mmCIF file of all heavy atoms in Angstrom:
data_model
loop_
_atom_site.group_PDB
_atom_site.id
_atom_site.type_symbol
_atom_site.label_atom_id
_atom_site.label_comp_id
_atom_site.label_asym_id
_atom_site.label_seq_id
_atom_site.Cartn_x
_atom_site.Cartn_y
_atom_site.Cartn_z
ATOM 1 N N VAL V 268 49.302 101.585 -16.332
ATOM 2 C CA VAL V 268 48.262 102.384 -16.985
ATOM 3 C C VAL V 268 48.948 103.533 -17.695
ATOM 4 O O VAL V 268 49.849 104.161 -17.140
ATOM 5 C CB VAL V 268 47.298 102.961 -15.932
ATOM 6 C CG1 VAL V 268 46.175 103.726 -16.605
ATOM 7 C CG2 VAL V 268 46.734 101.854 -15.093
ATOM 8 N N SER V 269 48.536 103.806 -18.946
ATOM 9 C CA SER V 269 49.181 104.912 -19.661
ATOM 10 C C SER V 269 48.137 105.845 -20.262
ATOM 11 O O SER V 269 47.011 105.425 -20.566
ATOM 12 C CB SER V 269 50.087 104.369 -20.766
ATOM 13 O OG SER V 269 49.297 103.761 -21.755
ATOM 14 N N ALA V 270 48.533 107.095 -20.415
ATOM 15 C CA ALA V 270 47.671 108.084 -21.072
ATOM 16 C C ALA V 270 48.526 108.901 -22.034
ATOM 17 O O ALA V 270 49.570 109.435 -21.640
ATOM 18 C CB ALA V 270 47.026 108.991 -20.034
ATOM 19 N N TYR V 271 48.114 108.929 -23.288
ATOM 20 C CA TYR V 271 48.766 109.784 -24.285
ATOM 21 C C TYR V 271 47.848 110.967 -24.517
ATOM 22 O O TYR V 271 46.739 110.794 -25.017
ATOM 23 C CB TYR V 271 48.982 109.030 -25.600
ATOM 24 C CG TYR V 271 50.028 107.944 -25.520
ATOM 25 C CD1 TYR V 271 49.742 106.717 -24.932
ATOM 26 C CD2 TYR V 271 51.305 108.149 -26.036
ATOM 27 C CE1 TYR V 271 50.698 105.723 -24.846
ATOM 28 C CE2 TYR V 271 52.271 107.154 -25.958
ATOM 29 C CZ TYR V 271 51.965 105.946 -25.361
ATOM 30 O OH TYR V 271 52.916 104.969 -25.281
ATOM 31 N N GLU V 272 48.318 112.144 -24.129
ATOM 32 C CA GLU V 272 47.501 113.326 -24.379
ATOM 33 C C GLU V 272 47.647 113.712 -25.845
ATOM 34 O O GLU V 272 48.588 113.281 -26.519
ATOM 35 C CB GLU V 272 47.937 114.446 -23.429
ATOM 36 C CG GLU V 272 47.498 114.101 -22.014
ATOM 37 C CD GLU V 272 48.032 115.041 -20.959
ATOM 38 O OE1 GLU V 272 48.942 115.845 -21.259
ATOM 39 O OE2 GLU V 272 47.524 114.949 -19.828
ATOM 40 N N ALA V 273 46.717 114.545 -26.323
ATOM 41 C CA ALA V 273 46.718 114.907 -27.745
ATOM 42 C C ALA V 273 48.118 115.357 -28.170
ATOM 43 O O ALA V 273 48.752 116.164 -27.492
ATOM 44 C CB ALA V 273 45.709 116.010 -27.993
ATOM 45 N N GLY V 274 48.604 114.810 -29.258
ATOM 46 C CA GLY V 274 49.899 115.215 -29.803
ATOM 47 C C GLY V 274 51.073 114.420 -29.276
ATOM 48 O O GLY V 274 52.144 114.438 -29.862
ATOM 49 N N SER V 275 50.913 113.670 -28.173
ATOM 50 C CA SER V 275 52.069 112.922 -27.657
ATOM 51 C C SER V 275 52.106 111.537 -28.286
ATOM 52 O O SER V 275 51.097 110.994 -28.722
ATOM 53 C CB SER V 275 52.025 112.834 -26.133
ATOM 54 O OG SER V 275 50.879 112.145 -25.736
ATOM 55 N N ARG V 276 53.294 110.963 -28.324
ATOM 56 C CA ARG V 276 53.430 109.684 -29.008
ATOM 57 C C ARG V 276 54.578 108.894 -28.402
ATOM 58 O O ARG V 276 55.286 109.400 -27.539
ATOM 59 C CB ARG V 276 53.708 109.931 -30.508
ATOM 60 C CG ARG V 276 54.986 110.709 -30.788
ATOM 61 C CD ARG V 276 54.967 111.345 -32.172
ATOM 62 N NE ARG V 276 55.221 110.407 -33.235
ATOM 63 C CZ ARG V 276 56.404 110.248 -33.832
ATOM 64 N NH1 ARG V 276 57.427 110.978 -33.474
ATOM 65 N NH2 ARG V 276 56.554 109.380 -34.791
ATOM 66 N N TYR V 277 54.728 107.669 -28.858
ATOM 67 C CA TYR V 277 55.864 106.838 -28.446
ATOM 68 C C TYR V 277 56.502 106.380 -29.749
ATOM 69 O O TYR V 277 55.908 105.616 -30.496
ATOM 70 C CB TYR V 277 55.346 105.658 -27.622
ATOM 71 C CG TYR V 277 56.398 104.871 -26.867
ATOM 72 C CD1 TYR V 277 56.041 104.043 -25.815
ATOM 73 C CD2 TYR V 277 57.751 104.951 -27.188
ATOM 74 C CE1 TYR V 277 56.978 103.309 -25.100
ATOM 75 C CE2 TYR V 277 58.696 104.232 -26.489
ATOM 76 C CZ TYR V 277 58.309 103.411 -25.449
ATOM 77 O OH TYR V 277 59.237 102.690 -24.761
ATOM 78 N N THR V 278 57.699 106.860 -29.997
ATOM 79 C CA THR V 278 58.334 106.550 -31.280
ATOM 80 C C THR V 278 58.665 105.057 -31.353
ATOM 81 O O THR V 278 58.686 104.354 -30.343
ATOM 82 C CB THR V 278 59.612 107.381 -31.472
ATOM 83 O OG1 THR V 278 60.423 107.223 -30.320
ATOM 84 C CG2 THR V 278 59.291 108.844 -31.639
ATOM 85 N N TRP V 279 58.967 104.591 -32.549
ATOM 86 C CA TRP V 279 59.149 103.155 -32.831
ATOM 87 C C TRP V 279 60.188 102.523 -31.897
ATOM 88 O O TRP V 279 61.229 103.103 -31.621
ATOM 89 C CB TRP V 279 59.551 102.976 -34.289
ATOM 90 C CG TRP V 279 60.791 103.723 -34.644
ATOM 91 C CD1 TRP V 279 60.906 105.068 -34.804
ATOM 92 C CD2 TRP V 279 62.086 103.181 -34.873
ATOM 93 N NE1 TRP V 279 62.194 105.391 -35.114
ATOM 94 C CE2 TRP V 279 62.939 104.258 -35.177
ATOM 95 C CE3 TRP V 279 62.599 101.881 -34.873
ATOM 96 C CZ2 TRP V 279 64.290 104.077 -35.448
ATOM 97 C CZ3 TRP V 279 63.936 101.709 -35.153
ATOM 98 C CH2 TRP V 279 64.768 102.792 -35.430
ATOM 99 N N HIS V 280 59.858 101.333 -31.449
ATOM 100 C CA HIS V 280 60.748 100.632 -30.518
ATOM 101 C C HIS V 280 60.350 99.155 -30.415
ATOM 102 O O HIS V 280 59.280 98.751 -30.876
ATOM 103 C CB HIS V 280 60.666 101.267 -29.129
ATOM 104 C CG HIS V 280 59.309 101.127 -28.491
ATOM 105 N ND1 HIS V 280 58.241 101.925 -28.845
ATOM 106 C CD2 HIS V 280 58.824 100.268 -27.556
ATOM 107 C CE1 HIS V 280 57.171 101.566 -28.145
ATOM 108 N NE2 HIS V 280 57.498 100.550 -27.362
ATOM 109 N N LEU V 281 61.246 98.386 -29.823
ATOM 110 C CA LEU V 281 60.913 97.024 -29.389
ATOM 111 C C LEU V 281 60.779 97.072 -27.870
ATOM 112 O O LEU V 281 61.517 97.802 -27.215
ATOM 113 C CB LEU V 281 62.069 96.070 -29.734
ATOM 114 C CG LEU V 281 62.196 95.553 -31.163
ATOM 115 C CD1 LEU V 281 63.553 94.891 -31.349
ATOM 116 C CD2 LEU V 281 61.096 94.559 -31.470
ATOM 117 N N ASP V 282 59.872 96.273 -27.292
ATOM 118 C CA ASP V 282 59.721 96.315 -25.833
ATOM 119 C C ASP V 282 60.851 95.595 -25.103
ATOM 120 O O ASP V 282 61.086 95.843 -23.926
ATOM 121 C CB ASP V 282 58.372 95.695 -25.429
ATOM 122 C CG ASP V 282 57.218 96.633 -25.742
ATOM 123 O OD1 ASP V 282 57.474 97.799 -26.121
ATOM 124 O OD2 ASP V 282 56.059 96.200 -25.619
ATOM 125 N N ASN V 283 61.510 94.682 -25.818
ATOM 126 C CA ASN V 283 62.644 93.980 -25.190
ATOM 127 C C ASN V 283 63.712 93.724 -26.252
ATOM 128 O O ASN V 283 64.079 92.581 -26.520
ATOM 129 C CB ASN V 283 62.168 92.677 -24.531
ATOM 130 C CG ASN V 283 63.221 92.062 -23.616
ATOM 131 O OD1 ASN V 283 64.301 92.641 -23.416
ATOM 132 N ND2 ASN V 283 62.915 90.901 -23.074
ATOM 133 N N GLY V 284 64.199 94.816 -26.837
ATOM 134 C CA GLY V 284 65.126 94.713 -27.956
ATOM 135 C C GLY V 284 66.437 94.066 -27.569
ATOM 136 O O GLY V 284 67.029 93.316 -28.334
ATOM 137 N N LYS V 285 66.897 94.320 -26.354
ATOM 138 C CA LYS V 285 68.194 93.772 -25.935
ATOM 139 C C LYS V 285 68.033 92.482 -25.149
ATOM 140 O O LYS V 285 68.997 91.936 -24.633
ATOM 141 C CB LYS V 285 68.916 94.810 -25.074
ATOM 142 C CG LYS V 285 69.330 96.048 -25.869
ATOM 143 C CD LYS V 285 70.752 96.427 -25.581
ATOM 144 C CE LYS V 285 71.332 97.114 -26.788
ATOM 145 N NZ LYS V 285 71.858 98.408 -26.566
ATOM 146 N N ARG V 286 66.815 92.020 -25.019
ATOM 147 C CA ARG V 286 66.522 90.807 -24.263
ATOM 148 C C ARG V 286 67.100 90.875 -22.856
ATOM 149 O O ARG V 286 67.793 89.953 -22.406
ATOM 150 C CB ARG V 286 67.029 89.578 -25.002
ATOM 151 C CG ARG V 286 66.423 89.480 -26.385
ATOM 152 C CD ARG V 286 66.683 88.176 -27.035
ATOM 153 N NE ARG V 286 65.744 88.009 -28.145
ATOM 154 C CZ ARG V 286 65.578 86.884 -28.794
ATOM 155 N NH1 ARG V 286 66.241 85.829 -28.441
ATOM 156 N NH2 ARG V 286 64.725 86.818 -29.779
ATOM 157 N N GLY V 287 66.802 91.968 -22.183
ATOM 158 C CA GLY V 287 67.349 92.163 -20.845
ATOM 159 C C GLY V 287 66.293 92.393 -19.780
ATOM 160 O O GLY V 287 66.557 92.238 -18.597
ATOM 161 N N ASN V 288 65.071 92.755 -20.193
ATOM 162 C CA ASN V 288 64.108 93.113 -19.143
ATOM 163 C C ASN V 288 63.112 91.990 -18.844
ATOM 164 O O ASN V 288 62.241 92.145 -17.989
ATOM 165 C CB ASN V 288 63.387 94.433 -19.489
ATOM 166 C CG ASN V 288 62.606 94.358 -20.787
ATOM 167 O OD1 ASN V 288 62.087 93.308 -21.148
ATOM 168 N ND2 ASN V 288 62.511 95.468 -21.492
ATOM 169 N N GLY V 289 63.231 90.871 -19.535
ATOM 170 C CA GLY V 289 62.389 89.710 -19.239
ATOM 171 C C GLY V 289 61.077 89.665 -20.016
ATOM 172 O O GLY V 289 60.393 88.655 -20.031
ATOM 173 N N ARG V 290 60.739 90.774 -20.685
ATOM 174 C CA ARG V 290 59.445 90.799 -21.367
ATOM 175 C C ARG V 290 59.416 89.833 -22.557
ATOM 176 O O ARG V 290 60.311 89.861 -23.399
ATOM 177 C CB ARG V 290 59.148 92.207 -21.877
ATOM 178 C CG ARG V 290 58.914 93.187 -20.760
ATOM 179 C CD ARG V 290 58.922 94.571 -21.322
ATOM 180 N NE ARG V 290 58.591 95.553 -20.304
ATOM 181 C CZ ARG V 290 58.441 96.850 -20.577
ATOM 182 N NH1 ARG V 290 58.588 97.301 -21.802
ATOM 183 N NH2 ARG V 290 58.151 97.682 -19.615
ATOM 184 N N LEU V 291 58.364 89.016 -22.596
ATOM 185 C CA LEU V 291 58.208 88.056 -23.685
ATOM 186 C C LEU V 291 56.965 88.379 -24.504
ATOM 187 O O LEU V 291 57.012 88.502 -25.722
ATOM 188 C CB LEU V 291 58.078 86.637 -23.111
ATOM 189 C CG LEU V 291 57.623 85.557 -24.085
ATOM 190 C CD1 LEU V 291 58.685 85.306 -25.156
ATOM 191 C CD2 LEU V 291 57.320 84.252 -23.355
ATOM 192 N N LEU V 292 55.836 88.524 -23.812
ATOM 193 C CA LEU V 292 54.577 88.769 -24.516
ATOM 194 C C LEU V 292 53.990 90.090 -24.023
ATOM 195 O O LEU V 292 53.717 90.250 -22.833
ATOM 196 C CB LEU V 292 53.590 87.623 -24.241
ATOM 197 C CG LEU V 292 52.252 87.710 -24.974
ATOM 198 C CD1 LEU V 292 52.431 87.540 -26.491
ATOM 199 C CD2 LEU V 292 51.270 86.658 -24.444
ATOM 200 N N THR V 293 53.822 91.036 -24.951
ATOM 201 C CA THR V 293 53.216 92.326 -24.618
ATOM 202 C C THR V 293 51.704 92.212 -24.763
ATOM 203 O O THR V 293 51.231 91.686 -25.773
ATOM 204 C CB THR V 293 53.717 93.411 -25.597
ATOM 205 O OG1 THR V 293 55.141 93.496 -25.504
ATOM 206 C CG2 THR V 293 53.117 94.767 -25.287
ATOM 207 N N CYS V 294 50.973 92.693 -23.765
ATOM 208 C CA CYS V 294 49.506 92.712 -23.831
ATOM 209 C C CYS V 294 49.054 94.150 -23.579
ATOM 210 O O CYS V 294 49.329 94.705 -22.513
ATOM 211 C CB CYS V 294 48.888 91.843 -22.735
ATOM 212 S SG CYS V 294 49.642 90.222 -22.567
ATOM 213 N N VAL V 295 48.390 94.744 -24.549
ATOM 214 C CA VAL V 295 47.889 96.113 -24.365
ATOM 215 C C VAL V 295 46.371 96.087 -24.508
ATOM 216 O O VAL V 295 45.841 95.579 -25.504
ATOM 217 C CB VAL V 295 48.481 97.090 -25.415
ATOM 218 C CG1 VAL V 295 48.176 98.534 -25.001
ATOM 219 C CG2 VAL V 295 49.974 96.904 -25.578
ATOM 220 N N TYR V 296 45.692 96.624 -23.495
ATOM 221 C CA TYR V 296 44.230 96.627 -23.468
ATOM 222 C C TYR V 296 43.772 98.086 -23.473
ATOM 223 O O TYR V 296 44.196 98.889 -22.640
ATOM 224 C CB TYR V 296 43.749 95.911 -22.200
ATOM 225 C CG TYR V 296 42.254 95.876 -22.054
ATOM 226 C CD1 TYR V 296 41.501 94.906 -22.699
ATOM 227 C CD2 TYR V 296 41.588 96.809 -21.263
ATOM 228 C CE1 TYR V 296 40.116 94.868 -22.567
ATOM 229 C CE2 TYR V 296 40.200 96.780 -21.122
ATOM 230 C CZ TYR V 296 39.478 95.798 -21.782
ATOM 231 O OH TYR V 296 38.116 95.772 -21.650
ATOM 232 N N TYR V 297 42.892 98.423 -24.416
ATOM 233 C CA TYR V 297 42.510 99.833 -24.584
ATOM 234 C C TYR V 297 41.225 100.187 -23.829
ATOM 235 O O TYR V 297 40.327 99.368 -23.691
ATOM 236 C CB TYR V 297 42.377 100.160 -26.073
ATOM 237 C CG TYR V 297 43.718 100.021 -26.759
ATOM 238 C CD1 TYR V 297 43.947 99.013 -27.694
ATOM 239 C CD2 TYR V 297 44.773 100.863 -26.428
ATOM 240 C CE1 TYR V 297 45.189 98.874 -28.297
ATOM 241 C CE2 TYR V 297 46.011 100.722 -27.015
ATOM 242 C CZ TYR V 297 46.221 99.734 -27.950
ATOM 243 O OH TYR V 297 47.454 99.583 -28.517
ATOM 244 N N LEU V 298 41.186 101.451 -23.411
ATOM 245 C CA LEU V 298 40.111 101.910 -22.515
ATOM 246 C C LEU V 298 39.286 103.051 -23.107
ATOM 247 O O LEU V 298 38.605 103.755 -22.376
ATOM 248 C CB LEU V 298 40.750 102.410 -21.199
ATOM 249 C CG LEU V 298 41.527 101.374 -20.386
ATOM 250 C CD1 LEU V 298 42.291 102.053 -19.250
ATOM 251 C CD2 LEU V 298 40.570 100.333 -19.808
ATOM 252 N N ASN V 299 39.347 103.244 -24.427
ATOM 253 C CA ASN V 299 38.731 104.450 -25.000
ATOM 254 C C ASN V 299 37.424 104.154 -25.733
ATOM 255 O O ASN V 299 37.433 103.586 -26.826
ATOM 256 C CB ASN V 299 39.716 105.082 -25.985
ATOM 257 C CG ASN V 299 41.097 105.170 -25.374
ATOM 258 O OD1 ASN V 299 41.335 105.974 -24.487
ATOM 259 N ND2 ASN V 299 42.012 104.295 -25.817
ATOM 260 N N PRO V 300 36.276 104.569 -25.127
ATOM 261 C CA PRO V 300 35.003 104.332 -25.805
ATOM 262 C C PRO V 300 34.926 105.163 -27.082
ATOM 263 O O PRO V 300 35.487 106.251 -27.130
ATOM 264 C CB PRO V 300 33.952 104.824 -24.788
ATOM 265 C CG PRO V 300 34.692 105.057 -23.513
ATOM 266 C CD PRO V 300 36.122 105.280 -23.849
ATOM 267 N N SER V 301 34.268 104.667 -28.067
ATOM 268 C CA SER V 301 33.999 105.328 -29.350
ATOM 269 C C SER V 301 35.184 106.063 -29.952
ATOM 270 O O SER V 301 35.177 107.265 -30.143
ATOM 271 C CB SER V 301 32.801 106.304 -29.220
ATOM 272 O OG SER V 301 33.084 107.300 -28.269
ATOM 273 N N TRP V 302 36.226 105.321 -30.191
ATOM 274 C CA TRP V 302 37.414 105.880 -30.845
ATOM 275 C C TRP V 302 37.265 105.702 -32.350
ATOM 276 O O TRP V 302 36.888 104.634 -32.817
ATOM 277 C CB TRP V 302 38.657 105.142 -30.362
ATOM 278 C CG TRP V 302 39.924 105.860 -30.683
ATOM 279 C CD1 TRP V 302 40.637 105.750 -31.835
ATOM 280 C CD2 TRP V 302 40.627 106.787 -29.862
ATOM 281 N NE1 TRP V 302 41.750 106.564 -31.772
ATOM 282 C CE2 TRP V 302 41.757 107.215 -30.570
ATOM 283 C CE3 TRP V 302 40.398 107.327 -28.585
ATOM 284 C CZ2 TRP V 302 42.677 108.128 -30.058
ATOM 285 C CZ3 TRP V 302 41.317 108.218 -28.078
ATOM 286 C CH2 TRP V 302 42.430 108.622 -28.805
ATOM 287 N N GLU V 303 37.559 106.765 -33.100
ATOM 288 C CA GLU V 303 37.460 106.654 -34.564
ATOM 289 C C GLU V 303 38.835 106.767 -35.194
ATOM 290 O O GLU V 303 39.744 107.340 -34.594
ATOM 291 C CB GLU V 303 36.596 107.795 -35.105
ATOM 292 C CG GLU V 303 35.141 107.625 -34.763
ATOM 293 C CD GLU V 303 34.388 108.925 -34.916
ATOM 294 O OE1 GLU V 303 34.929 109.832 -35.574
ATOM 295 O OE2 GLU V 303 33.288 108.997 -34.366
ATOM 296 N N ALA V 304 38.935 106.271 -36.424
ATOM 297 C CA ALA V 304 40.232 106.317 -37.118
ATOM 298 C C ALA V 304 40.754 107.756 -37.174
ATOM 299 O O ALA V 304 41.943 108.010 -37.016
ATOM 300 C CB ALA V 304 40.089 105.745 -38.513
ATOM 301 N N ALA V 305 39.837 108.718 -37.351
ATOM 302 C CA ALA V 305 40.255 110.114 -37.486
ATOM 303 C C ALA V 305 40.775 110.702 -36.171
ATOM 304 O O ALA V 305 41.304 111.808 -36.153
ATOM 305 C CB ALA V 305 39.099 110.952 -37.995
ATOM 306 N N SER V 306 40.625 109.958 -35.057
ATOM 307 C CA SER V 306 41.131 110.473 -33.780
ATOM 308 C C SER V 306 42.623 110.203 -33.618
ATOM 309 O O SER V 306 43.217 110.583 -32.605
ATOM 310 C CB SER V 306 40.397 109.830 -32.610
ATOM 311 O OG SER V 306 39.009 109.876 -32.799
#
Side-chain angles (χ1 to χ4, degrees):
V268 183
S269 67
Y271 290 78
E272 289 172 348
S275 62
R276 61 200 283 261
Y277 193 162
T278 52
W279 57 287
H280 65 282
L281 280 168
D282 285 352
N283 192 3
K285 293 227 151 124
R286 302 191 163 191
N288 61 32
R290 292 168 175 185
L291 168 67
L292 183 67
T293 301
C294 313
V295 192
Y296 179 83
Y297 296 112
L298 298 171
N299 313 288
S301 61
W302 195 272
E303 289 162 17
S306 311

